[in-house]
Amino acid sequence: ILNTYHRFVIMLDGFDEMKFAMAPNDFNHISAQIRNMATVDSKLLLLGRPDSIESEEEKSRLTSSSFHNIPLKADSAPDFDSLRIVFLSKEEYLKLIRNFLNSVPDTTSRRKPLDQLISMVESLNLGDILSRPVQAKMLAEVAGDPDVDLSAISRFILYDLFIKRILRREEEKSVRRHLGTAGRLHFMRLLAWWLWTVKKTRTFAASEVPLEIVQKFHIQNVSLDGLRRELLTRKIHRRL
């Protein structure tokens, strides 16, 4: 009821992760539901990576009330405006790291002075990965650990830490107990090799993952489709 009085701003985050495992009919159904919601209250934000929309038809189905180039309305919902969030500048990610370190107490009293840590971060050769907020925050957490040699951090070490952290979080969930870190890492390696040597693209649909890869990871009483979804949960390969 409150939504009909425009009392909410609704934010739907992670659409790219949801879309990843959808069949075409599922996408059409979910798009219709989202558009129906926007009909009631147009203050709706749909958040996700833009590469999850794979065709102009999908884009039109989700964001437009028109039938492609035909001057006929498919529904009464408003058209969506598409915006891209830019990456952080160097000044912005250094500020993020500084603010994070300022907010975390130094419980060991062994941490280097803040200005020295920031200078060390500036000297690292990490390419552009710190322009992504997730990686910038992760480096800030690493920089705040007095036992870590910050000068030895490379982009590969940072990604390795990133992957292990996500996998550890997955292991803490009871619904993920059937497949451990070693199995997920093995799946990721097989998937990466298939993408590199066969698919030769950076993106793919869940249904495209070869069954011969999926079948290597048997979970009792779980169908192949369910197993595929489980293996692709969190989709680290799409976050990097």
Side-chain angles (χ1 to χ4, degrees), residues 25-214:
N25 287 342
D26 293 329
F27 174 78
N28 294 340
H29 176 67
I30 295 295
S31 296
Q33 289 186 316
I34 291 173
R35 294 196 58 75
N36 286 339
M37 188 182 301
T39 301
V40 177
D41 184 356
S42 60
K43 293 185 292 186
L44 185 150
L45 297 175
L46 183 63
L47 309 175
R49 296 171 186 251
D51 61 2
S52 63
I53 304 300
E54 300 178 60
S55 67
E56 285 299 317
E57 182 179 355
E58 286 189 348
K59 180 180 178 181
S60 176
R61 171 82 66 160
L62 178 63
T63 65
S64 174
S65 60
S66 301
F67 284 113
H68 299 292
N69 297 323
I70 301 174
L72 179 66
K73 293 287 187 180
D75 55 53
S76 57
D79 291 346
F80 281 68
D81 293 323
S82 297
L83 301 173
R84 286 176 178 255
I85 299 177
V86 299
F87 290 137
L88 299 177
S89 66
K90 182 177 181 180
E91 179 183 356
E92 288 170 333
Y93 71 66
L94 289 176
K95 182 178 180 180
L96 183 155
I97 294 171
R98 179 182 290 275
N99 289 343
F100 178 86
L101 292 172
N102 262 328
S103 68
V104 177
D106 181 10
T107 57
T108 66
S109 299
R110 295 189 295 115
R111 196 162 72 190
K112 293 181 176 65
L114 181 56
D115 287 340
Q116 183 179 349
L117 289 173
I118 296 300
S119 294
M120 293 176 71
V121 170
E122 285 190 88
S123 68
L124 295 176
N125 182 21
L126 298 177
D128 64 349
I129 63 172
L130 294 184
S131 63
R132 298 166 173 82
V134 171
Q135 279 86 344
K137 180 178 180 293
M138 185 169 56
L139 181 64
E141 293 173 351
V142 172
D145 187 341
D147 295 320
V148 172
D149 180 6
L150 190 58
S151 64
I153 295 293
S154 67
R155 64 185 301 157
F156 304 106
I157 292 174
L158 194 61
Y159 275 133
D160 185 58
L161 292 170
F162 179 61
I163 290 170
K164 288 177 178 176
R165 174 170 296 184
I166 290 178
L167 291 177
R168 175 166 292 187
R169 285 204 301 263
E170 289 301 304
E171 285 187 328
E172 294 171 355
K173 301 175 183 178
S174 60
V175 294
R176 302 282 177 252
R177 66 184 184 275
H178 303 295
L179 193 63
T181 293
R184 292 186 186 279
L185 285 172
H186 183 42
F187 171 73
M188 289 166 58
R189 293 187 185 103
L190 293 175
L191 186 65
W193 183 252
W194 168 72
L195 280 172
W196 187 24
T197 61
V198 180
K199 188 79 164 50
K200 298 182 180 180
T201 63
R202 295 180 58 188
T203 61
F204 62 95
S207 59
E208 293 181 290
V209 177
L211 283 179
E212 55 264 30
I213 293 179
V214 176

